[in-house]
Amino acid sequence: MIYAEMLAGGGHASFIRRNAVCNLPFMTLQTFNKYTSLITNKSIESCSQIHTESREIVTQEYAKVGSVPDQSGVLDIDVTYDGTWHTRDQHSNYGIGATIDAVTELVVDYQIMCKFCFLCISIFVSRTRKFLKKSMNN
């Protein structure tokens, strides 16, 4: 259920509301965060393994036609690139782009994109807190 909530883009509060509708037990924020962290770490581990296997297969396929990595370990391959946003018409804040090998049609690299600058948001939140604290003290 936590994984489904993550896929839906919800957080702890949304998870609690859905559980209440289904008469499921309450889960603390700490427990919810523990499981989301576990799911995220396992997902990253799986993606890394799949990524490594894809690159090995691509290297093997190009070796069959005599193409081998140069001295610096770079293999010259033919690729295509495609990307998408979480929702249509780029209204989503999150997207992904993938570089796909033209011979094997395997993803050899990807990039997750976000329209937000988290550093800017962090600075904004920090300044807002300082402003509110200063305003409340006056």
Side-chain angles (χ1 to χ4, degrees), residues 9 85-87 90-96 111-125:
W85 292 95
H86 188 244
T87 57
Q90 299 184 7
H91 292 297
S92 173
N93 292 319
Y94 300 99
I96 186 166
Q111 179 67 47
I112 298 171
M113 300 164 285
C114 178
K115 290 183 181 178
F116 287 116
C117 170
F118 291 104
L119 177 61
C120 298
I121 292 170
S122 176
I123 291 170
F124 174 77
V125 169

Side-chain angles (χ1 to χ4, degrees), residues 7-131:
L7 290 176
H12 181 254
S14 176
F15 179 76
I16 295 303
R17 283 192 301 272
R18 289 180 205 269
N19 280 2
V21 169
C22 300
N23 289 328
L24 294 172
F26 178 80
M27 180 182 290
T28 66
L29 177 61
Q30 182 179 5
T31 303
F32 180 83
N33 287 341
K34 180 178 95 174
Y35 283 109
T36 56
S37 179
L38 178 69
I39 291 168
T40 300
N41 290 339
K42 288 294 181 182
S43 296
I44 291 169
E45 186 180 306
S46 292
C47 285
S48 179
Q49 181 182 355
I50 291 168
H51 198 198
T52 299
E53 290 173 8
S54 294
R55 287 182 171 195
E56 289 172 3
I57 292 169
V58 168
T59 302
Q60 291 168 4
E61 288 299 313
Y62 278 85
K64 289 179 184 176
V65 294
S67 183
V68 294
D70 63 15
Q71 293 176 356
S72 63
V74 175
L75 178 64
D76 189 19
I77 62 174
D78 297 322
V79 298
T80 185
Y81 179 85
D82 195 12
T84 186
W85 292 95
H86 188 244
T87 57
R88 291 185 190 176
D89 301 327
Q90 299 184 7
H91 292 297
S92 173
N93 292 319
Y94 300 99
I96 186 166
T99 305
I100 304 161
D101 174 57
V103 174
T104 62
E105 298 180 354
L106 293 173
V107 174
V108 292
D109 200 8
Y110 66 93
Q111 179 67 47
I112 298 171
M113 300 164 285
C114 178
K115 290 183 181 178
F116 287 116
C117 170
F118 291 104
L119 177 61
C120 298
I121 292 170
S122 176
I123 291 170
F124 174 77
V125 169
S126 174
R127 288 182 180 171
T128 301
R129 285 182 180 153
K130 286 179 184 177
F131 174 76

